[in-house]
Amino acid sequence: MAAEQFQSLRNYLDSQVLGQSEFTESLLIAILADGHLLVEGPPGLAKTRAVNALAKGIEGDFHRVQFTPDLLPADLTGTDIYRPETGEFVFQQGPLFHNVILADEINRAPAKVQSALLEAMAERQITVGRTTYPLPNLFMVLATQNPLEQEGTYPLPEAQLDRFLMQLNIDYPAAATELDILRLNRGEELHGQVAMPTPLRQEDIFNARKEVLEIFMDETVENYLVQLVIASRQAEHYSTDLARWLSYGASPRATIALDRCARAKAWLSGRDFVTPDDIQAVFGHVMRHRIILSYQAEADGVTADQALQLILQEVPTP
């Protein structure tokens, strides 16, 4: 039953965000794996539209926060408000107390704001003054960012990047897809349009997450998953090019994320076991924001995706 509901939501997302099936699938994987998602791409590629569509398909509160250079931590967490009639301070909750948070253009905000968001993402709680407040059981941060080359953007701290389950890079659509986008924007009915399904209940999401964790993974596949992450740290054992390109590899948090995402990918595919293909399909999204390239790699024009592709080539597939 839960699988059918997720498939209905996926079909709806695909009909709302044309030509971005990998993006919409990753949104569902993030929900199933109980993680946060970072989406990078130029403005105008339906990043915000996709998150809005997802929020409509989930039973829960949704809030969008536009990140700007003048944003303050209290704008996210909330603050203590003085009540003259009682002479007491009362805490007024901020946007982070919603279930789904869209952090739009996250890399335009200063470090203090990122620090407040980091606690929420990592600990599922926020601290204001001397008091710590728990966040809802269903809590997701879906963040968008523009490429760093654009005006007024700042790189996110490595510790915060590591808290994102996956990072997706969105590119421009093909010509045929862009024509459909144009027609959809004019209000025309397109073939394959799907009505919005009944919103997923939070109880159904939690049950689906349990099913995902119970997906079978053979020991050889498990070892393969671990070796892929280890290769990012011990590159010299696999390839001289890889050793020149990588300064720092991924942490054990990446191993956990890769495991959860591969299981979610298998579950969405209707299988009760994980294959190496599931791991390879999510490997780039889980790892690209967790590795640090060397100066040599940057000078040679090597990207994180190229380094990760080399890891997939060098580590034997079971």
Side-chain angles (χ1 to χ4, degrees), residues 98-270:
H98 292 76
N99 299 112
V100 180
I101 308 298
L102 171 56
D104 217 2
E105 298 187 302
I106 188 174
N107 57 335
R108 294 192 184 279
K112 283 186 177 181
V113 175
Q114 305 297 353
S115 177
L117 186 61
L118 176 60
E119 182 187 11
M121 293 171 60
E123 308 297 336
R124 303 298 173 96
Q125 66 181 31
I126 62 164
T127 302
V128 178
R130 298 182 179 179
T131 308
T132 298
Y133 302 91
L135 294 174
N137 290 331
L138 178 62
F139 176 72
M140 283 184 65
V141 175
L142 302 171
T144 69
Q145 70 173 9
N146 295 330
L148 293 177
E149 294 78 14
Q150 295 206 354
E151 184 90 18
T153 59
Y154 310 94
L156 296 177
E158 288 82 358
Q160 185 174 0
L161 282 174
D162 201 31
R163 286 334 194 270
F164 282 102
L165 182 77
M166 294 187 289
Q167 178 185 335
L168 271 72
N169 292 340
I170 305 299
D171 205 353
Y172 293 106
T177 302
E178 191 138 357
L179 186 59
D180 286 338
I181 292 171
L182 186 62
R183 291 168 177 166
L184 182 64
N185 189 61
R186 289 201 302 255
E188 297 180 21
E189 287 291 330
L190 300 179
H191 178 71
Q193 284 297 106
V194 178
M196 188 179 75
T198 303
L200 275 169
R201 298 182 306 163
Q202 293 189 24
E203 180 183 356
D204 295 330
I205 294 174
F206 296 142
N207 289 336
R209 286 176 177 175
K210 291 178 182 177
E211 291 181 15
V212 167
L213 291 177
E214 293 170 358
I215 292 284
F216 174 73
M217 183 183 292
D218 188 79
E219 188 174 347
T220 58
V221 178
E222 208 169 36
N223 287 329
Y224 173 63
L225 183 152
V226 171
Q227 287 305 314
L228 287 173
V229 179
I230 294 295
S232 72
R233 305 176 205 158
Q234 302 176 3
E236 66 278 3
H237 296 161
Y238 293 87
S239 164
T240 53
D241 282 339
L242 207 56
R244 289 190 301 110
W245 291 348
L246 294 180
S247 289
Y248 294 96
S251 71
R253 192 177 286 119
T255 310
I256 297 170
L258 190 56
D259 174 75
R260 285 176 172 263
C261 290
R263 291 173 187 273
K265 170 77 173 173
W267 188 87
L268 285 173
S269 300

Side-chain angles (χ1 to χ4, degrees), residues 287-305:
M287 295 284 288
R288 68 168 53 97
H289 58 298
R290 290 185 162 99
I291 60 172
I292 298 179
L293 297 177
S294 66
Y295 290 116
Q296 182 66 50
E298 294 180 4
D300 292 344
V302 174
T303 65
D305 286 342

Side-chain angles (χ1 to χ4, degrees), residues 3 6 32 34 56 59 63 77 92-93 119 170 190 197 215 220 248-249 257-258 270 281-282 290 317:
F6 270 87
L32 290 167
D34 191 15
K56 292 176 183 176
E59 181 186 78
H63 195 95
T77 61
Q92 185 166 327
Q93 295 181 350
E119 182 187 11
I170 305 299
L190 300 179
I215 292 284
T220 58
Y248 294 96
L258 190 56
V282 298
R290 290 185 162 99
T317 305

